[in-house]
Amino acid sequence: MQRLEVWGWLVVAVVLSVLAIPWFLWGDATTVVGLPLWLWWHVGWMVLASVVFWVFTRRGWGIGIEPDASRTSPDGTDPRTDAGGDGR
Amino acid sequence: MTLTLQLAIIVGYLVVALLVGLLAYRVAERTAEDFYLASRTFGTVVLLFTTFATLLSAFTFFAGPNMAYQHGPEWILVMGLMDGIIFAILWYVIGYKQWLLGRQRDYVTLGEMLGDRFGSRGLRGLVAGVSLVWLFPYVMLQQVGAGTALEALTEGAVPYALGAGLITAFMILYVVVAGMRGIAWTDTLQGAFMLVTTWVALLWILAIVDGPTAATAALEAEAAGHLALGSDFYTPQWMLSTAIVIGFGVAMFPQVNQRFFAAGSRTVFKRSFALWPILCVLLFVPSFLLGAWARGLDVTVPEGGNVLPAMLAEFSPAWFAALVIAGAMAAMMSSSDSMLLSGSSYFTRDLYRPYVNADLTERREDLLARVGVVVFATGAFLASLWNPATLFELGDAAFSGFAQLALPVIAALYWRGTTRAGITAGILASQVFYLSSLFVAVVPATYAGWSAGLVGMGVGLLVTVGVSLVTAPAAEERRSIYFEGLRAD
């Protein structure tokens, strides 16, 4: 299960990187409110990246690094610390 | 008037920085860990802005806008991808893992972390050696930059050597007194200052030139191809090579890499990571757009000069232009002081301690670290007086040089099969390949449009993996420490 999540986030990372530059607008000089359309795309994409990164910090943080990262619950709290009694 | 004002603002900044440094000195403990990492106590704002200010210094104000002026604003995309996305991902992939390991095993440098895992003093020395080779000319470049800028600013009243010397002396004093804590605090002021002044400059100029539509129309009339995405200069290969190589290079730059160890908690790491792309775009867009628009607004850029100061001089009052330029110069220094500090830590922890005297006491190491700063800065200053062209080339190439380290390090962090022989061969092979592409005529600098830096990264990864597959781990290797028992709480 964790392996699948790692691959899922890896795909997200690659997509975020690849589309930071809007290749599909190559050669396009359309401007909107004085700025090139491709620049608007980029700005929007960076905001989206921040949102995705934030979601990652809540749901996936530790994945691929901490062996039991998948035990972190979706709301960001760590069940290990809530449960207590695990000797740490 | 302008001259006095500019000097007053720069001196004013230095005095404020020194006061912050003294404040940091008062709360500091006399240990190497505190001097180098502020005892791993950084909060979100400080970690975010100190990394930001260290990463994005004079380049954002000078070279970047110049590039946008000459070739068009696509440079924003390259920087956004490089720093906002690729570096942010590495912030997690390399940074978070390093932070966990550093906290658990008290690592202060990258070489220490690798040397411990692979049971190898040689590897530790190699990583430190490679890093110092690239760092030294880069520090020198900053001193040359500051010396030249002061000379130009004062119209020769402060000669180059004196300017570079003054800056060096100030940096030594500052780093020796303040350590990482002081540097990070001033960086925080610096980062906020950069953001605010750049936006004020943008709004100020746009108000004068009747808004972005008019500015863009002027640019289109002057240089028609500049607004269309891509050009003969901005090819996909060039954009990707630059963004990938510098993005990975930055993560291995000692002064940036060392900040991975300095976060106070996991939450600090998470917040900084999520805010990173927005912070980058907030700085890049105004600064590079100003550079691009300058082309259409008939701003006269002096031969060999920078576009942003010329733009500010044309459209804003002298005091404001001086403030921004002083900020840019200070940014240059704030990056240099971090470099000095990290260079000194690589020297003491990975070269002096393992090879000269392993039984240093904490206080003695703290003292040695400060002596290291003096030696490193003075050496770079002397080299900057001698001005050797080769060192300049090295400095320019430093990002790609550091990038060569990244993939072998990632392999070591995430693949159990990495062996000591594998990572050592990977680092050596890619360094030799990349240096040859710079200095040996028969080794090309580009491969079908892709830079030698990027190709070298591939070579490093292939050699690391290939040699690891055919060699057995050395007896002293401790494979488990990167994989077992890592947790943040």
Side-chain angles (χ1 to χ4, degrees):
Chain A
M1 184 56 197
Q2 211 199 359
R3 183 169 284 258
L4 200 67
E5 279 181 66
V6 170
W7 280 103
W9 282 114
L10 210 60
V11 171
V12 171
V14 170
V15 171
L16 276 182
S17 305
V18 169
L19 287 178
I21 298 176
W23 305 105
F24 52 88
L25 291 175
W26 199 257
D28 188 295
T30 317
T31 56
V32 180
V33 203
L35 298 182
L37 182 60
W38 54 259
L39 186 55
W40 286 113
W41 167 276
H42 180 70
V43 171
W45 194 257
M46 298 297 267
V47 174
L48 176 77
S50 260
V51 173
V52 172
F53 287 168
W54 179 77
V55 171
F56 176 75
T57 64
R58 307 281 290 178
R59 295 180 170 263
W61 193 262
I63 208 157
I65 295 178
E66 291 167 86
D68 44 3
S70 56
R71 285 165 60 191
T72 303
S73 61
D75 63 358
T77 58
D78 193 331
R80 286 168 299 179
T81 49
D82 294 343
D86 62 353
R88 278 178 294 115
Chain B
M1 171 59 194
T2 313
L3 183 72
T4 331
L5 197 65
Q6 279 176 320
L7 283 176
I9 287 173
I10 290 174
V11 172
Y13 171 79
L14 295 182
V15 170
V16 171
L18 205 57
L19 289 177
V20 173
L22 286 172
L23 200 65
Y25 183 75
R26 285 174 61 94
V27 300
E29 294 161 33
R30 299 287 163 269
T31 63
E33 196 181 37
D34 198 82
F35 184 59
Y36 290 137
L37 298 180
S39 300
R40 306 175 207 270
T41 54
F42 285 172
T44 308
V45 174
V46 172
L47 183 69
L48 191 63
F49 277 99
T50 185
T51 311
F52 188 61
T54 303
L55 205 68
L56 316 160
S57 53
F59 188 83
T60 314
F61 288 100
F62 295 139
N66 290 352
M67 194 88 109
Y69 176 82
Q70 278 160 8
H71 302 288
E74 287 95 325
W75 188 237
I76 298 173
L77 300 178
V78 180
M79 291 288 278
L81 172 61
M82 165 206 301
D83 283 331
I85 308 269
I86 294 179
F87 179 72
I89 292 170
L90 295 177
W91 178 262
Y92 177 74
V93 172
I94 299 178
Y96 182 56
K97 189 146 188 178
Q98 254 189 255
W99 176 74
L100 285 172
L101 287 164
R103 246 176 36 132
Q104 213 161 56
R105 310 186 70 88
D106 294 331
Y107 301 137
V108 170
T109 67
L110 180 66
E112 238 168 40
M113 186 182 84
L114 294 170
D116 195 31
R117 145 78 173 85
F118 291 98
S120 167
R121 191 175 70 163
L123 178 64
R124 186 170 170 178
L126 174 68
V127 172
V130 165
S131 304
L132 289 173
V133 161
W134 293 112
L135 192 64
F136 184 83
Y138 202 73
V139 169
M140 195 195 90
L141 274 186
Q142 312 297 314
Q143 289 163 325
V144 172
T148 320
L150 269 182
E151 189 180 24
L153 198 67
T154 56
E155 286 158 6
V158 177
Y160 164 76
L162 183 63
L166 280 175
I167 297 293
T168 308
F170 175 78
M171 286 194 312
I172 290 176
L173 177 70
Y174 189 69
V175 178
V176 167
V177 169
M180 177 69 120
R181 199 184 302 270
I183 287 175
W185 286 357
T186 39
D187 279 355
T188 306
L189 290 176
Q190 190 81 57
F193 180 78
M194 278 200 274
L195 273 180
V196 172
T197 48
T198 317
W199 273 97
V200 172
L202 180 84
L203 297 176
W204 197 309
I205 292 173
L206 281 181
I208 294 173
V209 302
D210 295 331
T213 313
T216 302
L219 172 61
E220 201 161 10
E222 175 76 25
H226 270 207
L227 289 171
L229 177 57
S231 64
D232 290 344
F233 177 78
Y234 289 114
T235 63
Q237 290 94 323
W238 185 84
M239 288 169 89
L240 284 174
S241 294
T242 310
I244 294 170
V245 169
I246 302 186
F248 278 82
V250 160
M252 291 290 121
F253 237 109
Q255 74 276 17
V256 174
N257 184 275
Q258 211 160 30
R259 278 168 171 67
F260 293 153
F261 289 126
S265 74
R266 182 164 72 155
T267 310
V268 165
F269 236 97
K270 287 181 175 183
R271 286 190 193 137
S272 309
F273 168 76
L275 286 171
W276 196 260
I278 289 188
L279 198 61
C280 288
V281 94
L282 275 177
L283 185 65
F284 296 154
V285 171
S287 144
F288 300 153
L289 271 182
L290 282 178
W293 279 330
R295 178 81 172 243
L297 297 172
D298 291 331
V299 173
T300 324
V301 183
E303 184 78 23
N306 294 306
V307 61
L308 205 56
M311 180 88 161
L312 289 163
E314 182 112 3
F315 290 102
S316 65
W319 65 267
F320 182 72
L323 202 64
V324 178
I325 303 310
M329 281 201 52
M332 197 174 338
M333 279 184 278
S334 87
S335 293
S336 311
D337 53 24
S338 306
M339 290 176 211
L340 284 179
L341 186 65
S342 294
S344 132
S345 73
Y346 278 41
F347 168 72
T348 36
R349 306 285 291 204
D350 298 333
L351 296 175
Y352 188 88
R353 207 153 78 159
Y355 288 97
V356 182
N357 179 6
D359 305 316
L360 275 178
T361 61
E362 285 230 323
R363 276 197 81 100
R364 209 162 155 73
E365 186 180 341
D366 180 54
L367 178 71
L368 186 68
R370 289 166 210 256
V371 173
V373 169
V374 177
V375 171
F376 200 81
T378 312
F381 169 63
L382 292 176
S384 75
L385 290 181
W386 175 45
N387 263 352
T390 314
L391 276 180
F392 270 107
E393 282 179 51
L394 276 176
D396 272 343
F399 282 107
S400 300
F402 281 113
Q404 307 305 314
L405 288 173
L407 294 183
V409 169
I410 292 178
L413 284 173
Y414 287 94
W415 181 44
R416 278 173 198 262
T418 317
T419 65
R420 180 202 291 175
I423 187 170
T424 310
I427 290 174
L428 282 174
S430 60
Q431 291 294 331
V432 168
F433 170 82
Y434 182 63
L435 280 169
S436 315
S437 79
L438 289 180
F439 297 111
V440 181
V442 290
V443 183
T446 56
Y447 299 78
W450 304 92
S451 70
L454 189 67
V455 175
M457 286 173 68
V459 170
L461 182 65
L462 280 179
V463 173
T464 303
V465 173
V467 174
S468 293
L469 285 174
V470 297
T471 51
E476 303 84 2
E477 283 190 37
R478 296 193 286 167
R479 290 215 262 183
S480 63
I481 61 176
Y482 283 5
F483 300 95
E484 282 156 28
L486 276 182
R487 52 180 50 141
D489 46 0

